[in-house]
Amino acid sequence: MGSTASTLSKIPDVETLMQETGFTPAHMVRLYDRFKALDKERKGHLCPQDFGAIKELAENPIGDRIVGAFFSQGQETLDFHSFVRILAHFRPVDKDRPRDPNVPEPINSRSNKLKFAFQLYDQDKDGKISRAELLQIIWQVLRAMLEMQVTEEQLESIADRTIQEADLDRDEAISFDEFRKSLEKVNIDHKMSIRFLR
Amino acid sequence: MVPRWPAFLPLLFLVSLLCFGRPCLASSSSDTSHGETATSSGHGESGGHGESGGHGESLNITTLPIVSWKWSHVTVPYFVALWILVCWLCKLVFELNHHLTSVFPESGLLILIGFVLGGIIWGADKAQTFTLTPTNFFFYLLPQIILDAGYFMPNRLFFRNLGTILIYAIIGTCWNAAAVGLSLWGCYEGGAMGDLDIGLLQFLLFGSLLAAVDPVAVIAVFEEVHVNEVLFILVFGESLLNDGVTVVLYNVFDAFVSLGGEKIDAAEIVKGIISFFVVAFGGSLVGVVFAILLSLLTRCTKNIQIIEAGFIFVLGYLSYLTAEMLSLSAILSITFCGVCCQKYVNANMDEKSVITVRYAMKVLANGSETMIFVFLGITAIDKTIWVWNTGFILLSLLFIFIYRFIGVFFLTWILNKYRLVPISIIDQVVMSYGGLRGAVAYGLAAMLDESKIKEKNLMISTTLIVVYFTVILQGITMKPLVQWLKVKRVSSSELKLIEKVNNRAFDHVLAAIEDICGRIGDNWWTRGWKKFEEHWISWLLMKPSARKSQDYIFGIFHKLNLEDAANYVTEGERRGSLAFLRTDDKAGVDFKKKFGSEFAEVMPDIMADTSEAGFGIENVPVTSIIHDSVPSVSLNIYEEDMRNTAQDINAHHLLQQHLYRSRKNHRHRYSRSHFGINESENEVQEIFQRTMRSRLESFKSAKMGVTPAKKITKHPKKVREQREHKHMSNGTAVDKSKTHPYGDEDFEFSEGDSASGVSGGSSFPMRVTYSAGAGIENPAFMPEMDTPPPMRNPPWAPGSDVDATVAPSQRAQRQLPWTPSNLRRLAPLRISDRSTDSFVMADVIPPPPEPEDPAQGDGTHM
């Protein structure tokens, strides 16, 4: 554990970050190591190309959307703090930890998880998932299936139907509120969490 | 209770009939269950009876008997059938009374009625003629229940929680067996039970047979309380999988008892442990092998569709028997056979066969479950098996109850450290409380060898008490408990595409995040398995045609569409015709759903249904059908006025050739092998699907005369140009529908099916057929609908932006506000056209979607 402490001390502002994200020191160390491993040129931050080096990610049909989610608009670099903050979305919700009403909602709360998902769809950041955006993600997600012979028409039908289900104000697009409502029954805490980040 | 009595009378009659028949069976010993499916002894007996009876009569006749009484000839099968009838009538009677079943679980009620029936038999015979024998139970009643459980297993949920389930099933069961056995032994040594001839090993044997949670009882009780799915799968999965453990423990201790205490050394114990793994994994392996066989078999049952459903039952049963023969865990075998084959079998078989399997499976499983509970009750009414030992029985009950709780809580405490979603305390309570024992335990107890275990009857009695206690008392209190503890219930499972799409996307997201974190997690495995499965297993076990349409989201989509179509037809029938589609803007049917592009897939069903139900095709001349029915169910509701006679003729020809004639031919024909199914119905369906798809296509483009022009003008892509070119070159009415905007490869979606098409035209992708000018021959009859009417041609030709301002037809305009989905029909093509190519190119790096053109947006909203 000595190495844990020493690594921790290298991370700037680690206490605040841990408080903000809820990660344990062990997580921080692990993520920091990973961060450094990804940052091959030791420039102290990551760029999209660094993510491109991950082989599986390149194969992921929506991999670059996810990479895109790490970089806030216009920015080409990602420091460790942002890296951890993004990953904190996927920390499982701990129910037993009492919630302090003064503290703002933790990053891994349900609505934050949903927001993260939403922005993956909403690529043009206009606050709405348009039909085109939806169609695109459906395309990517379904096309990932091998040998799937999907006709464009079927995809469109699915996209239409999906929008119909969620679109309450009938503006042909899914706003965040509509998105949240349509997924009310989905256990987001479960679906958007990764076990080892617990 | 009142409604019970009328139905009870025939029941009494049946029982008295059963008792009446008893003298014929008097020779048999009471341990043979005649009420049940014939056992070997039953068979022998019936054969004997049949022969002797027959001979006796034929020897002594003095004159030709016109009819003769041959009761003994049919005794055994007659009893089997009667008992099945009686048991099912019991269920029927209970289900008539909802107040009763809402308070008491059905399983408990069935046991209680079993007591009554047993009492009647006992009163008539002074002996229990009908009991549940292990042979009948394990060979004829249990397999279908387990097969049903496996076949309908929610696979994803099951495998996600497999680790947890295995921990409970293996460690939990071992703990239960050991703890109960040792505690009882301790109490016995302490003198709590008086004088019994039981040793430590026998206590352990007893503990092991009582350790396992019973799948039948668990299914029966938990299906009624609707707890959340994770909790259900944990209890249910445990109850299925712990059988392997129980059987091994039972066999091991049985062998140990035979060996005697002093011969057991370390080697024997090691052997016992090895045998556990062999039995459990061997059994599962047998099941998987049979599942593979089954899947392969269903790949080529296309020509014997009428019996292909039967293969599942036969092979499932064979997997059970094979495992039993190899002394492996039969329950695990048939479970895994069902679990592994379901996906491939469902994809390979005809949809009708899938439905057949589904219902037949439920009939068998539910039927034998009913019988099991009734016979558990009947069995109890037998003085000869009851040995009362207050200490032994009460302590068994107590220990079983307590150790179940301890085991569950301890294991959950460990598991919760690793689980993503911890199991809540309340769920743990329900899990512990749901540890019902059932017929498996009784069957095992009844199989004990009395020569080795002196107190067999005491064990049977105790087992029965435990079963009654858990099934009846815990079963009854389960529902109130679940309500009182506010256990999370299963949420109403409304199908929602958006959820499915999201779930799929989340899978990818999680996998990506795991990659970014650089750790191999659950999602990594899931993904790896999926890849492997898609690459190899599906390739091996699925028909090529089925493979193409296997996606889950499409499944949901298809289901939704069917649902819509059914509503649509219902609504049509309510109104007397489907004409409301044309005339009524505010039809009660949910247009938002109805007019989605979903028709592409559902239309055949609609056509079939409406043509049968609504229009009485058999009596109506074909021509009138064309005039009336087809337009009314066609999608082109805005265009009916644009039909012309030439297209009617096309349609006429088509219908005559492919729909109505075949129906007429098959309607009244009796055929064992075809069951009223038109052999070429697949082709017809295929034809319809294609027709509807392309009709929809034309519908989209033709509806307002707006979109197509837009497409052409704004996106002069290659495909578009081709399309345009075709329009121009052919210039016929048929034209528009024949051009499919997508590539050939897209069109192969259902090629596998169509390859078997009878009519040559239908076996080609539609576009080819049409452009070959084979419009008449082609079964698809959309020409009639799809003609671009003259008035809408202008927007096409100029190919300018004018189209955006072209006013839709009056009706369309009027309907727009009420059919918002129609609007989408405009947008889709436009947008997707744009993205099609980029998708193809950029599987890995898709371009960001282009924002909607505001001008076009306005256009669509017009």
Side-chain angles (χ1 to χ4, degrees):
Chain A
M1 283 288 117
S3 68
T4 306
S6 63
T7 318
L8 265 190
S9 61
K10 278 188 233 157
I11 309 173
D13 234 359
V14 68
E15 286 301 320
T16 357
L17 195 57
M18 271 165 51
Q19 189 142 33
E20 189 184 345
T21 58
F23 281 130
T24 61
H27 281 134
M28 294 306 283
V29 171
R30 196 179 273 282
L31 290 178
Y32 192 65
D33 288 344
R34 181 64 183 167
F35 184 82
K36 281 196 299 191
L38 286 176
D39 179 18
K40 290 207 177 61
E41 292 149 32
R42 309 228 160 261
K43 42 193 188 303
H45 57 78
L46 296 179
C47 359
Q49 291 80 9
D50 293 324
F51 285 104
I54 306 173
K55 194 173 121 277
E56 291 91 346
L57 197 60
E59 289 169 6
N60 196 315
I62 56 172
D64 42 82
R65 278 170 191 264
I66 291 153
V67 173
F70 276 82
F71 297 92
S72 51
Q73 225 156 8
Q75 273 186 317
E76 284 297 307
T77 59
L78 176 75
D79 61 3
F80 181 65
H81 282 230
S82 318
F83 180 73
V84 172
R85 264 184 221 117
I86 299 282
L87 289 180
H89 283 105
F90 294 92
R91 200 168 62 84
V93 180
D94 29 19
K95 291 191 176 96
D96 27 313
R97 202 175 291 186
R99 241 195 81 199
D100 190 347
N102 302 323
V103 178
E105 233 178 309
I107 297 179
N108 63 348
S109 74
R110 178 187 164 89
S111 71
N112 278 332
K113 280 176 197 281
L114 272 175
K115 259 181 205 147
F116 186 86
F118 186 78
Q119 58 157 347
L120 285 179
Y121 297 111
D122 181 22
Q123 292 283 288
D124 60 2
K125 311 270 180 256
D126 65 349
K128 278 179 179 175
I129 303 173
S130 69
R131 187 180 182 281
E133 284 166 340
L134 188 70
L135 190 64
Q136 199 177 15
I137 191 121
I138 291 176
W139 209 96
Q140 288 169 338
V141 164
L142 284 190
R143 203 71 187 187
M145 306 265 309
L146 205 90
E147 291 183 59
M148 272 285 292
Q149 301 280 341
V150 195
T151 67
E152 188 77 16
E153 195 170 73
Q154 289 170 313
L155 290 181
E156 283 173 13
S157 315
I158 290 177
D160 285 343
R161 179 110 204 184
T162 312
I163 291 204
Q164 280 168 22
E165 283 174 354
D167 189 12
L168 300 175
D169 55 8
R170 299 191 170 174
D171 63 346
E172 303 272 315
I174 304 175
S175 67
F176 181 65
D177 274 342
E178 287 164 350
F179 184 71
R180 190 167 54 190
K181 282 208 183 78
S182 66
L183 292 183
E184 224 151 34
K185 290 206 182 109
V186 178
N187 192 349
I188 297 293
D189 299 345
H190 190 167
K191 292 257 157 60
M192 288 274 287
S193 300
I194 293 179
R195 210 171 60 186
F196 60 69
L197 291 179
R198 197 162 159 220
Chain B
M1 294 298 275
V2 178
R4 273 182 55 184
W5 288 109
F8 206 75
L9 290 176
L11 230 148
L12 279 174
F13 166 73
L14 282 170
V15 171
S16 58
L17 196 63
L18 289 168
C19 299
F20 164 73
R22 190 200 57 85
C24 305
L25 302 168
S27 59
S28 66
S29 58
S30 65
D31 66 352
T32 322
S33 152
H34 304 283
E36 279 311 322
T37 327
T39 58
S40 53
S41 68
H43 261 307
E45 194 192 14
S46 79
H49 269 294
E51 272 173 39
S52 62
H55 281 298
E57 275 170 41
S58 62
L59 284 178
N60 298 334
I61 50 166
T62 52
T63 176
L64 178 77
I66 296 174
V67 288
S68 54
W69 177 254
K70 289 186 175 179
W71 164 248
S72 53
H73 191 57
V74 294
T75 310
V76 172
Y78 206 87
F79 269 129
V80 173
L82 270 186
W83 269 117
I84 293 174
L85 180 67
V86 169
C87 296
W88 290 4
L89 281 178
C90 295
K91 191 178 171 95
L92 174 87
V93 170
F94 288 132
E95 289 302 324
L96 284 176
N97 194 334
H98 284 293
H99 297 296
L100 200 63
T101 41
S102 62
V103 179
F104 298 100
E106 203 186 88
S107 44
L109 287 174
L110 288 171
I111 290 184
L112 291 177
I113 195 81
F115 290 158
V116 176
L117 290 177
I120 295 171
I121 297 166
W122 182 266
D125 288 4
K126 302 284 175 269
Q128 193 47 269
T129 332
F130 305 99
T131 54
L132 185 61
T133 60
T135 326
N136 288 332
F137 173 70
F138 283 111
F139 282 168
Y140 305 111
L141 291 175
L142 189 60
Q144 56 262 44
I145 297 180
I146 309 295
L147 181 63
D148 170 82
Y151 184 76
F152 289 99
M153 179 75 75
N155 271 351
R156 194 183 157 94
L157 199 60
F158 178 69
F159 285 110
R160 288 230 148 181
N161 295 292
L162 189 60
T164 312
I165 292 172
L166 283 176
I167 297 277
Y168 284 128
I170 296 172
I171 301 180
T173 308
C174 289
W175 152 257
N176 273 348
V180 170
L182 288 175
S183 308
L184 282 177
W185 178 69
C187 293
Y188 168 67
E189 292 291 306
M193 297 168 200
D195 191 22
L196 288 174
D197 188 7
I198 304 185
L200 170 62
L201 283 173
Q202 284 157 344
F203 271 116
L204 285 172
L205 177 61
F206 179 67
S208 71
L209 72 85
L210 267 186
V213 177
D214 183 67
V216 184
V218 163
I219 298 168
V221 168
F222 272 73
E223 264 186 357
E224 291 178 26
V225 290
H226 305 295
V227 293
N228 64 71
E229 49 186 14
V230 174
L231 178 56
F232 178 73
I233 203 74
L234 289 182
V235 182
F236 177 49
E238 180 199 344
S239 72
L240 278 178
L241 298 192
N242 67 12
D243 167 72
V245 184
T246 322
V247 170
V248 175
L249 286 179
Y250 181 84
N251 287 341
V252 167
F253 285 121
D254 201 32
F256 283 176
V257 169
S258 311
L259 280 176
E262 61 278 4
K263 286 193 191 145
I264 298 166
D265 48 16
E268 296 294 332
I269 291 172
V270 169
K271 266 194 212 162
I273 293 170
I274 293 173
S275 103
F276 161 71
F277 285 100
V278 172
V279 167
F281 288 98
S284 313
L285 193 69
V286 170
V288 172
V289 168
F290 270 89
I292 292 172
L293 280 180
L294 184 52
S295 309
L296 287 175
L297 197 62
T298 49
R299 270 187 74 153
C300 39
T301 50
K302 195 172 169 54
N303 298 326
I304 47 163
Q305 262 176 21
I306 202 74
I307 57 165
E308 71 182 346
F311 284 119
I312 293 177
F313 299 96
V314 173
L315 278 174
Y317 193 45
L318 274 178
S319 79
Y320 186 88
L321 293 181
T322 309
E324 191 70 41
M325 181 178 72
L326 300 172
S327 74
L328 303 173
S329 167
I331 295 188
L332 282 181
S333 168
I334 199 167
T335 304
F336 277 94
C337 181
V339 166
C340 297
C341 79
Q342 53 168 266
K343 177 177 177 187
Y344 310 104
V345 164
N346 282 346
N348 284 344
M349 285 195 314
D350 187 66
E351 199 167 335
K352 292 190 186 72
S353 307
V354 173
I355 293 169
T356 311
V357 169
R358 194 173 294 160
Y359 281 95
M361 198 83 92
K362 287 293 173 202
V363 169
L364 288 176
N366 229 317
S368 58
E369 183 190 286
T370 310
M371 297 186 66
I372 286 173
F373 284 121
V374 171
F375 272 90
L376 269 181
I378 292 176
T379 308
I381 312 299
D382 185 358
K383 268 186 198 161
T384 56
I385 61 164
W386 285 105
V387 178
W388 190 266
N389 182 320
T390 315
F392 188 81
I393 290 173
L394 287 185
L395 283 171
S396 299
L397 269 179
L398 182 73
F399 288 141
I400 283 168
F401 195 71
I402 289 177
Y403 288 129
R404 169 83 187 166
F405 268 89
I406 294 176
V408 166
F409 275 81
F410 178 70
L411 289 175
T412 317
W413 178 71
I414 295 175
L415 282 167
N416 270 350
K417 294 184 179 237
Y418 299 99
R419 276 182 69 87
L420 175 62
V421 180
I423 302 163
S424 68
I425 296 279
I426 288 175
D427 283 4
Q428 292 175 42
V429 172
V430 175
M431 270 189 76
S432 318
Y433 201 71
L436 308 177
R437 274 38 169 208
V440 172
Y442 169 74
L444 290 176
M447 273 172 26
L448 290 173
D449 184 355
E450 202 160 357
S451 61
K452 283 184 281 182
I453 295 148
K454 299 286 181 293
E455 303 289 348
K456 177 186 173 186
N457 276 345
L458 176 60
M459 289 189 181
I460 292 184
S461 320
T462 313
T463 311
L464 279 174
I465 296 273
V466 169
V467 170
Y468 298 147
F469 181 84
T470 54
V471 173
I472 300 178
L473 283 184
Q474 287 179 219
I476 289 173
T477 43
M478 179 65 85
K479 221 179 221 175
L481 182 80
V482 165
Q483 276 159 359
W484 179 63
L485 289 175
K486 297 193 178 63
V487 175
K488 223 170 97 195
R489 302 296 190 92
V490 65
S491 51
S492 64
S493 56
E494 197 187 335
L495 292 171
K496 264 190 160 183
L497 266 180
I498 189 163
E499 291 176 2
K500 302 301 164 195
V501 171
N502 269 310
N503 287 349
R504 184 65 66 82
F506 290 162
D507 286 347
H508 289 296
V509 171
L510 291 186
I513 295 294
E514 281 186 357
D515 293 335
I516 287 171
C517 294
R519 287 188 59 175
I520 293 176
D522 311 335
N523 296 291
W524 188 87
W525 290 105
T526 315
R527 187 176 48 175
W529 163 252
K530 262 192 185 154
K531 257 189 194 165
F532 175 72
E533 206 255 15
E534 276 154 23
H535 259 294
W536 301 109
I537 303 185
S538 293
W539 170 79
L540 180 69
L541 299 182
M542 260 194 215
K543 279 199 275 197
S545 55
R547 210 156 54 228
K548 283 172 186 159
S549 53
Q550 59 165 308
D551 189 86
Y552 182 55
I553 291 184
F554 279 123
I556 301 282
F557 183 60
H558 184 62
K559 258 188 222 159
L560 284 169
N561 288 340
L562 285 178
E563 223 169 76
D564 284 351
N567 291 340
Y568 175 91
V569 172
T570 315
E571 179 64 18
E573 279 169 2
R574 196 174 67 76
R575 288 158 176 263
S577 96
L578 286 168
F580 71 92
L581 282 178
R582 281 176 300 184
T583 55
D584 192 351
D585 287 350
K586 301 171 194 173
V589 174
D590 184 6
F591 273 91
K592 190 167 137 256
K593 283 177 165 183
K594 293 295 144 347
F595 284 164
S597 47
E598 53 265 32
F599 282 114
E601 280 192 321
V602 222
M603 220 45 197
D605 305 76
I606 293 179
M607 291 301 289
D609 287 354
T610 52
S611 54
E612 278 173 25
F615 300 99
I617 35 165
E618 307 227 51
N619 310 321
V620 185
V622 175
T623 41
S624 71
I625 291 172
I626 288 161
H627 279 291
D628 295 332
S629 68
V630 174
S632 66
V633 293
S634 81
L635 276 177
N636 255 331
I637 53 173
Y638 306 123
E639 286 188 315
E640 48 156 349
D641 46 340
M642 294 156 189
R643 283 173 293 139
N644 60 40
T645 42
Q647 287 130 25
D648 271 358
I649 290 166
N650 276 354
H652 182 163
H653 182 87
L654 164 77
L655 291 174
Q656 204 177 26
Q657 198 178 352
H658 291 281
L659 179 64
Y660 296 111
R661 193 184 57 196
S662 54
R663 279 187 183 283
K664 271 180 188 162
N665 286 347
H666 290 80
R667 181 58 55 92
H668 298 298
R669 202 180 71 187
Y670 171 77
S671 159
R672 177 174 307 166
S673 57
H674 289 292
F675 194 50
I677 297 170
N678 182 348
E679 255 187 66
S680 67
E681 190 153 275
N682 278 341
E683 284 83 39
V684 174
Q685 287 236 343
E686 174 68 4
I687 289 157
F688 268 89
Q689 269 173 13
R690 284 162 179 279
T691 307
M692 286 307 157
R693 199 177 299 150
S694 33
R695 169 180 293 181
L696 183 79
E697 178 60 27
S698 71
F699 170 56
K700 284 181 197 161
S701 51
K703 194 172 52 204
M704 292 187 181
V706 174
T707 336
K710 228 187 247 173
K711 278 185 285 190
I712 291 162
T713 52
K714 302 241 167 182
H715 312 286
K717 294 237 161 83
K718 200 177 149 199
V719 182
R720 289 288 146 255
E721 282 167 1
Q722 272 178 2
R723 182 192 171 106
E724 195 177 9
H725 172 70
K726 280 205 178 129
H727 281 300
M728 295 306 148
S729 63
N730 281 4
T732 64
V734 189
D735 192 324
K736 215 177 359 167
S737 54
K738 80 177 100 176
T739 47
H740 199 282
Y742 315 113
D744 274 332
E745 76 278 5
D746 287 333
F747 228 115
E748 288 169 8
F749 180 62
S750 48
E751 204 193 3
D753 290 337
S754 69
S756 65
V758 170
S759 62
S762 68
S763 60
F764 291 104
M766 184 168 286
R767 189 172 61 179
V768 177
T769 322
Y770 272 110
S771 45
I776 300 283
E777 281 170 23
N778 194 290
F781 52 91
M782 81 286 296
E784 171 230 352
M785 301 300 162
D786 300 335
T787 321
M791 62 159 273
R792 277 190 289 107
N793 274 340
W796 280 86
S800 68
D801 276 338
V802 187
D803 56 73
T805 59
V806 167
S809 75
Q810 290 223 318
R811 169 165 288 141
Q813 249 180 338
R814 192 154 43 87
Q815 293 210 351
L816 274 175
W818 304 106
T819 59
S821 63
N822 286 335
L823 298 178
R824 292 184 186 98
R825 304 261 46 84
L826 300 177
L829 280 176
R830 166 170 46 88
I831 292 159
S832 60
D833 289 341
R834 183 175 299 188
S835 45
T836 307
D837 292 349
S838 50
F839 279 143
V840 174
M841 299 183 308
D843 213 338
V844 177
I845 306 170
E850 302 176 39
E852 261 192 59
D853 186 335
Q856 286 175 16
D858 287 352
T860 57
H861 280 285
M862 212 170 57

